[in-house]
Amino acid sequence: MKKLTTGASLAVIVLAMGAGALYAQQPGFKRIEVQDRDLSIPGRHAVQAKAEFEPGGAVGRHTHPGEELSVVLEGALRLEVDGQPARTVKAGESFFIPAGVVHAGKNAGKGKAVVFATYIVEKGKPVATPVK
C-alpha cells in the first residue's frame, strides 16, 4: 500500500471535512466515496461517489470546484440547476453540472434513489460547498 505524504494526508482530511459538512446535515441523504485519484491534469483529481437518497431525502444547494458527471442508477432525482428549469432524471439517465454552478437534488420517487457521481475537481478544495 502506498504511503501518503503529509501534504496529501492533509488534503484528504480537508476534502473529507468539506464534503462531510455539506452531507452530514442532510437527513435522508448519504454520500459514499468510492475512490479519489490524482489525474494527469495538474492540480486536478477525480472523486467518485455513490449518493443514496431515501424517500424524501435531499441534498441542498451547493457547488463543486470542478465538473460533476453523474448517472442515476436507481429511482428518480429532481434536479435543480441555477439557470435551467428543474427536471427529473430517471434511472439510466445522466446529467452534467459545470464547475461552480449552484444546484440541488431531491428524491423524486417513493423508493430509494441512487446516483453515481464523478467529480473532476481542484485539489486542495472541498469537493462540495454549501450555498445559502
Side-chain angles (χ1 to χ4, degrees):
M1 184 182 247
K2 199 173 177 180
K3 268 188 161 178
L4 289 176
T5 65
T6 303
S9 297
L10 182 58
V12 168
I13 291 167
V14 167
L15 288 170
M17 287 172 48
L22 173 64
Y23 299 119
Q25 300 171 11
Q26 307 293 321
F29 176 81
K30 180 170 52 171
R31 178 180 174 272
I32 304 154
E33 187 174 298
V34 176
Q35 68 175 326
D36 183 337
R37 301 282 187 236
D38 287 341
L39 298 175
S40 60
I41 304 164
R44 298 280 177 172
H45 65 129
V47 177
Q48 291 188 311
K50 183 170 83 167
E52 297 179 350
F53 296 79
E54 295 301 324
V59 61
R61 293 168 48 82
H62 63 282
T63 63
H64 305 288
E67 291 77 14
E68 174 185 349
L69 298 98
S70 292
V71 62
V72 177
L73 300 176
E74 182 180 331
L77 184 73
R78 179 79 173 160
L79 183 63
E80 297 176 358
V81 180
D82 280 9
Q84 299 177 16
R87 67 185 191 272
T88 300
V89 187
K90 298 176 184 172
E93 297 177 342
S94 63
F95 60 92
F96 174 80
I97 308 293
V101 172
V102 177
H103 60 289
K106 182 176 182 177
N107 185 336
K110 295 182 187 206
K112 181 192 264 186
V114 179
V115 176
F116 188 77
T118 300
Y119 308 95
I120 307 298
V121 293
E122 292 180 57
K123 290 176 73 171
K125 292 190 176 180
V127 172
T129 303
V131 174
K132 293 185 181 194

